Amino acid sequence: MSTLFIGLGHMGAPMAVLHARTFPTVVFDLSDEAVARVVGDGAATAVDDPAAAAPDVDTVILMLPTSRHVESILRGESGLFARLPEGALVIDMGSSEPESTRALAAEAAERAIDYVDAPVSGGVPKAVSGELAIMVGGGADAVARAMPHLEVLGSSIQHVGPAGAGDAAKALNNLVSASNIAVASEALSMAARFGIDPAVMTDVLNAATGRSQATELKFPRYILTGTFDSGFAYDLMLKDMTIAMGLSEGLETPVVRAAFERLRTGRTSLGDVPDHTEIGRLYGLGDRPTSDRPTSDRPTSDNEKEISA
Ligand code: NAD
C-alpha cells in the first residue's frame, strides 16, 4: 500500500518529494509539468487517474488551493471517498475552510475513513527543508496515524483540536502575518517621507520591538528588493484572511478588519497573479530597491529565519 499525494504546486512539489523519500508515494496533479518536476527526483511515481489508484492506497495527502478543490476530489461517484478502502486516512494539508473540513470529516467517518486537517506555515523554503509548522485538527487516533507522515514534512506539529481546528488556526496565523506586512509597509512609507531609508527603518524594527517575521525576512528578501517572488500567491492570502474573518462574527476586531479591507480592495491595482509580498507595492515599496546595501547582506535561503506564508 502506498500514499497518494495530490497537488504538486509551489508547496506540494517539495513536500511530495520529501514524503516519497520515506514512504512509497504515488503522485497526481492536473499539470503534467508539475508531475514531471516531482517524478524527476526519482522517488515518486505518477498516476494518471487518482480514482483508479485509490483502492491501492492507504493514505491520501492533499495540497490543493481551496476547499472547493478538496471537495471535488473527494466527493461524487468518481471521488476518492467512494474508491478508498475502509480504514484509509486522508490528510488535507492545504489551507482549507473549517466548515468544509468538518463536513468532509463527518462524511469520511461514515465510510470508516480517518480525516485530518494539517495545514502548514513556512512557505516554499521550509517545505523544501521539511521544517514546516503544521497545525493539526482531528480525532486523537487519526492524528496519531497521520503523525509519521507529518514528521517527515514539519519540525513543529501542534494538535490544536478536532476536525477544522487546524484550518482555523492556520487562517488566523495568516491574518496576523498579512496584517503585519501591511502595518510595517505603512510604517516604512512614513519613515521614507520623513527621510529615513526604508531599509534602514527595517533594520531599526529588527533591532527593536517592532520586528516580525515579515520585517526580518519578507521585507529584506522580497519587498525592498522588488523581487516579490516568495511563491505564496496574493489571492491565496486573501482566501486565508477571508476564512479568518469568518471566525470574527460577534467579536470586536476592527484592526484586522481594516487590514483585510485594505488588502482586499488593493487587489485590483495589482497584476494577474500577484505574490502576497506585493502588499508592499500598495505602498510604493520595492518599485526600485531602496537600499544600496549589498545583496549578500540580505537574508538568503541559507540564512533565513522563517517564512510564515
Ligand atoms: P499552487 O497553486 O502553487 O499549487 C496548487 C496545485 O494544485 C497546482 O499544481 C494545481 O495544478 C493543482 N491542482 C488544482 N486542482 C487540482 C485537481 N483537481 N487535481 C490535481 N491537482 C490539482 O498552490 P500552493 O502555493 O502550493 O498552495 C497550496 C495550498 O497550500 C493552498 O491552500 C495555500 O493556501 C497553502 N499554503 C501555501 C503556501 C505558499 O507559500 N505557497 C504556504 C502555506 C500554505
Side-chain angles (χ1 to χ4, degrees), residues 6-12 28-31 34 63-66 69 72-73 93-96 120-124 170 174 230-233 236-237 239-240 309:
I6 303 180
L8 309 172
H10 285 99
M11 296 295 286
F28 176 74
D29 193 289
L30 293 177
S31 154
M63 197 56 183
L64 295 163
T66 72
H69 298 84
S72 77
I73 286 270
M93 300 196 73
S95 307
S96 297
V120 306
S121 179
V124 175
K170 164 64 187 175
N174 278 21
S230 80
F232 180 47
L236 290 179
M237 174 207 73
K239 171 212 45 168
D240 294 340

Side-chain angles (χ1 to χ4, degrees), residues 257-280:
R257 180 156 298 281
F260 173 54
E261 286 305 327
R262 173 68 182 108
L263 301 188
R264 194 177 61 77
T265 54
R267 170 66 182 89
T268 50
S269 67
L270 300 171
D272 280 351
V273 191
D275 191 81
H276 83 293
T277 54
E278 292 184 57
I279 292 171

Side-chain angles (χ1 to χ4, degrees), residues 36 46 48 63 86 154 244:
D48 292 335
M63 197 56 183
E86 272 192 16

Side-chain angles (χ1 to χ4, degrees), residues 13 52 57 61 127 149 178 194 210 227-228 249-250 264 297 300:
V57 308
I61 298 180
H149 300 275
F194 190 83
T227 57
F228 301 115
E249 208 182 312
R264 194 177 61 77
D297 286 355
T300 65

